[in-house]
Amino acid sequence: MCLLTNNSVMTKMPPWLVRELRSDHAGETGAVAIYQGILAASRDPAVVNFAKHHLGTERDHLALMDRLLPRTKRSKLLFLWRAAGFLTGYLPAIFGSSSVFRTVEAVEKFVDIHYSAQIDRLRLESTHWEIRQKLESCRDDERHHLDDARRRAVGSSGLAVLCWVELVTLGSRFAVAIARVI
């Protein structure tokens, strides 16, 4: 078990929760990098404003995860999550706003499901309500990002974008599985 100091309260975290928070920390690291990648490639004012706005929220989430998870319990592959996140934002930004918004939509849809599963387990076990509340707040922000990206993604997506979105979703699943362990 991991001992967590949060607001001067020592809480014992079961190993499954440490693994989940490790994946959350890795994911928020990647999310910050996604928006940094978008900003590095896009010159579209609407995309830049979108990315700047959501980058601030993701930085807040990462700071929260930094507080929740001791450095020794974090993923050892943060460099990889940063690189993958940056490319996940940069590549679609090269192809335009619709690609960016579809990518963010796919990522946030995955994150919503990921956080919801953790929240449901914490609720079911009636434990760690403070952590659950923080995860619920993060999930609500991610749902806002999802809704915002969905509203901005206009028109139908071509085959290339659909394949990219599927690759992003599979990559997210793979990253979570690895981050839980390493």
Side-chain angles (χ1 to χ4, degrees):
M1 295 223 166
C2 174
L3 291 179
L4 169 73
T5 303
N6 188 10
N7 298 332
S8 303
V9 177
M10 293 297 281
T11 306
K12 291 182 182 179
M13 285 197 297
W16 76 265
L17 184 54
V18 173
R19 288 190 299 271
E20 291 302 322
L21 291 176
R22 182 182 304 118
S23 73
D24 295 345
H25 184 272
E28 296 300 346
T29 298
V32 167
I34 287 172
Y35 289 107
Q36 290 171 333
I38 292 168
L39 290 170
S42 182
R43 300 296 166 249
D44 180 328
V47 172
V48 169
N49 288 335
F50 169 86
K52 284 181 178 178
H53 175 71
H54 294 304
L55 174 59
T57 306
E58 299 300 354
R59 283 183 172 149
D60 291 345
H61 291 177
L62 182 55
L64 170 65
M65 293 303 159
D66 281 344
R67 290 189 304 273
L68 288 176
L69 194 64
R71 188 175 300 275
T72 58
K73 299 295 182 182
R74 297 177 191 163
S75 174
K76 306 299 185 242
L77 301 175
L78 290 178
F79 68 93
L80 179 60
W81 310 136
R82 283 186 195 99
F86 188 86
L87 288 173
T88 301
Y90 188 88
L91 293 175
I94 292 171
F95 295 100
S97 63
S98 183
S99 296
V100 168
F101 299 135
R102 294 290 182 200
T103 299
V104 171
E105 180 182 8
V107 169
E108 299 299 7
K109 184 177 177 182
F110 175 84
V111 172
D112 178 21
I113 293 166
H114 178 70
Y115 273 137
S116 291
Q118 295 169 4
I119 291 163
D120 290 347
R121 183 165 179 185
L122 288 169
R123 186 176 290 119
L124 182 67
E125 293 182 6
S126 297
T127 185
H128 302 286
W129 66 270
E130 288 177 348
I131 292 173
R132 189 184 84 219
Q133 287 180 323
K134 291 177 186 323
L135 294 178
E136 286 172 344
S137 177
C138 288
R139 183 197 55 197
D140 291 346
D141 289 341
E142 305 297 0
R143 285 178 173 173
H144 170 71
H145 297 185
L146 170 63
D147 292 342
D148 192 17
R150 201 174 265 157
R151 273 191 307 274
R152 293 170 184 256
V154 293
S156 61
S157 298
L159 182 59
V161 172
L162 294 174
C163 289
W164 170 252
V165 163
E166 188 60 30
L167 180 63
V168 167
T169 302
L170 290 172
S172 297
R173 284 187 196 133
F174 179 74
V176 164
I178 298 300
R180 284 178 176 145
V181 179
I182 302 173

